[in-house]
Amino acid sequence: MACEQVQAQAPHVVFLAFPTQGHIIPAIQFSNTLASEGFIVTFMCAEQRIAKIRKSQGAELNPSIRLIGLPDNVPLGELRIDEGADSFLLSLRIADNMAPAFEQTVNGLIKDSKESHVPPPLCIISDFFVSWSQDIANKFQIPRYVFYTSPASHLTLVLYLPRLLEQGIVPVAPDARGIVIPGRPPLDGSEMPWDWQQSSPKEVNEFSFRNQLRLHESSGILINTFYELEGEAIDALRTEAINPNKVPIYPLGPILPSWFLKGEPINDEAFPDQTGNECMQWLDAQAPSSVLYVSFGSVAIPTIRQIQEIARGLDASQQAFLWILRLPPSATEATDLPEGFLSRTHSRGLIISTWAPQLLILSHPSTGGFMSHCGWNSILESICSGVPILALPQFAEQFLNSRLVAEQLRVGLKLQRGTDDVAESDEIEIAVRELIQGEEGRAMKKRARALKEEAARVVAEGGSSHTTLNAFVQAATTTHAQT
Ligand code: UDX
């Protein structure tokens, strides 16, 4: 490839996302960052997801991002954006189904580049759950960088997976204790990732192992975290014990919109949707820092028993709340919530059963706490809003994340679980009051606010994540020039 041609044209990257919201949201955001650094980004995901992105975020996308939908071989309507833990299993299948069309598209991009103003892709950036893209990168002799949407502390476990499999620790037995990973305190089996548990579906175990083992082959791992948040874990990731192939580690987060990180005033016109307006108007009418926001991300749905305990706990706490309530199929608000709950809490509670604008809710001055499943995006968004967390992990790496929140960062409380693994209403009532009104809650809020300021600093010129981003851009474009 002629270097003159490379220099005359904007560098081009191919981005491949895993088809669930928790992975797509930061992937699109990072594509925007790359586009503003001068890259052309060809962004690919399952076609039904791409259709949703066009509809919901089309206007916010940098024009240098080209969206391409890959056939996912799933009947229209089965892939539901924001409902049902089952859709996670479906997403695993879709992720694998995308491979042939992805290969064909990359091939086409390379061939067409001879007659087009868009140069051939200089690298593939792909989610850690689509490791087959490594084979395609190898075939076309371009580097593959991994996009990692979970924290660095989770990645320390994942890069150590070959040893854990060798030692027979993974798949994890329910009674496993004191699991040692270099550079971190020992873990109990229950804190290990859900996808590694013996009790999880075998399909999920196998999918995870297959994808995670191949991280060691990549040209670098881009992590949505920052050094000032997870310094110890990031240092551990650079040790021989965890990372024997010395795969470059790029912590360049938090990957979030700049208006949000800068705490700029909300532009209502950018969010004209009806649910968003309803939430904002309701929050406007509440006292500062008085509202508990309750949401469990885009995949997890707590059991009906857990939902009932949350309702009783919120009822007894007397606190205001905004609850994104997705019920398991077959349950209804009228029949499955505790009797009288809706009428008793009507004046201080807002329940939303669809997708809600989480960033706007968290950054609203009335929001004082977040009951969360501890998905990594939710944790980053909460911290970057200075809002403390009430942790109720559900699956994936969320148990591990909740420990980071409560014990290391000390920006949240972990809800203890009783019988049937359910956090009970008394526990919830006390924790909600403590978080919103108590001394401990105030101290956690102070720490969250300090991290919020740190987050804004690290992505600004000269900050650690900004410097890492520059290092990645340099690495990616240098490799390109040499090919
Ligand atoms: C999952 C994992 O749990 C997470 O740890 C992993 O890193 C990515 O995949 P999810 O369970 O959906 O993601 O949780 P989370 O990481 O919190 O991501 C959810 C995203 O959807 C957040 O960006 C959140 O702001 C957004 N969201 C969710 C909304 O905007 N509105 C909603 O109603 C629900």
Side-chain angles (χ1 to χ4, degrees), residues 67-304:
L67 298 175
I68 297 186
L70 302 173
D72 44 41
N73 303 319
V74 170
L76 198 70
E78 254 192 62
L79 175 60
R80 296 180 307 173
I81 283 272
D82 54 6
E83 306 156 60
D86 277 347
S87 68
F88 183 69
L89 273 184
L90 191 60
S91 301
L92 303 188
R93 292 172 199 151
I94 292 168
D96 285 343
N97 288 348
M98 297 189 298
F102 179 76
E103 178 171 348
Q104 221 178 1
T105 311
V106 174
N107 191 23
L109 290 172
I110 294 169
K111 279 196 177 142
D112 294 350
S113 64
K114 294 193 181 88
E115 283 117 45
S116 137
H117 65 286
V118 178
L122 57 86
C123 66
I124 292 172
I125 303 176
S126 61
D127 194 279
F128 63 105
F129 272 159
V130 281
S131 65
W132 45 258
S133 57
Q134 185 68 56
D135 294 323
I136 294 164
N138 294 348
K139 181 169 175 182
F140 294 117
Q141 296 184 307
I142 49 177
R144 174 203 177 207
Y145 291 91
V146 174
F147 188 65
Y148 208 76
T149 57
S150 290
S153 45
H154 175 246
L155 183 57
T156 57
L157 269 71
V158 168
L159 286 186
Y160 202 60
L161 178 62
R163 296 292 305 281
L164 295 170
L165 285 167
E166 253 168 50
Q167 294 164 8
I169 292 170
V170 171
V172 184
D175 54 355
R177 297 270 177 282
I179 300 167
V180 177
I181 316 282
R184 61 170 307 137
L187 291 162
D188 284 345
S190 60
E191 294 170 303
M192 296 290 270
W194 168 82
D195 39 312
W196 288 4
Q197 303 286 338
Q198 287 178 6
S199 54
S200 295
K202 215 169 164 20
E203 180 183 353
V204 171
N205 289 157
E206 283 167 2
F207 182 88
S208 271
F209 300 156
R210 177 160 39 90
N211 282 290
Q212 292 171 344
L213 288 171
R214 300 201 67 184
L215 287 172
H216 291 276
E217 296 169 50
S218 68
S219 299
I221 306 177
L222 318 180
I223 320 174
N224 189 7
T225 192
F226 53 104
Y227 192 83
E228 290 70 3
L229 189 71
E230 288 199 276
E232 262 180 64
I234 292 166
D235 288 342
L237 287 173
R238 291 174 171 145
T239 60
E240 176 88 25
I242 302 253
N243 185 359
N245 291 357
K246 297 192 171 71
V247 176
I249 300 295
Y250 297 100
L252 35 66
I255 300 170
L256 288 164
S258 61
W259 66 263
F260 177 74
L261 284 172
K262 287 182 194 153
E264 282 169 359
I266 294 155
N267 173 7
D268 280 342
E269 278 168 30
F271 300 94
D273 102 296
Q274 207 187 330
T275 313
N277 284 335
E278 187 185 353
C279 291
M280 290 302 104
Q281 278 167 19
W282 185 85
L283 283 168
D284 286 347
Q286 310 303 316
S289 296
S290 68
V291 174
L292 182 79
Y293 169 54
V294 183
S295 175
F296 297 96
S298 66
V299 178
I301 297 184
T303 61
I304 195 65

Side-chain angles (χ1 to χ4, degrees), residues 20-23 25 149-150 293 295-299 324 326 354-359 373-378 381 395-398 401:
T20 63
Q21 287 290 59
H23 293 244
I25 291 170
T149 57
S150 290
Y293 169 54
S295 175
F296 297 96
S298 66
V299 178
I324 311 304
R326 293 194 196 97
T354 55
W355 192 254
Q358 179 159 307
L359 290 186
H373 69 313
C374 291
W376 187 235
N377 296 293
S378 289
E381 290 162 8
F395 82 122
E397 86 294 24
Q398 295 153 12
N401 297 353

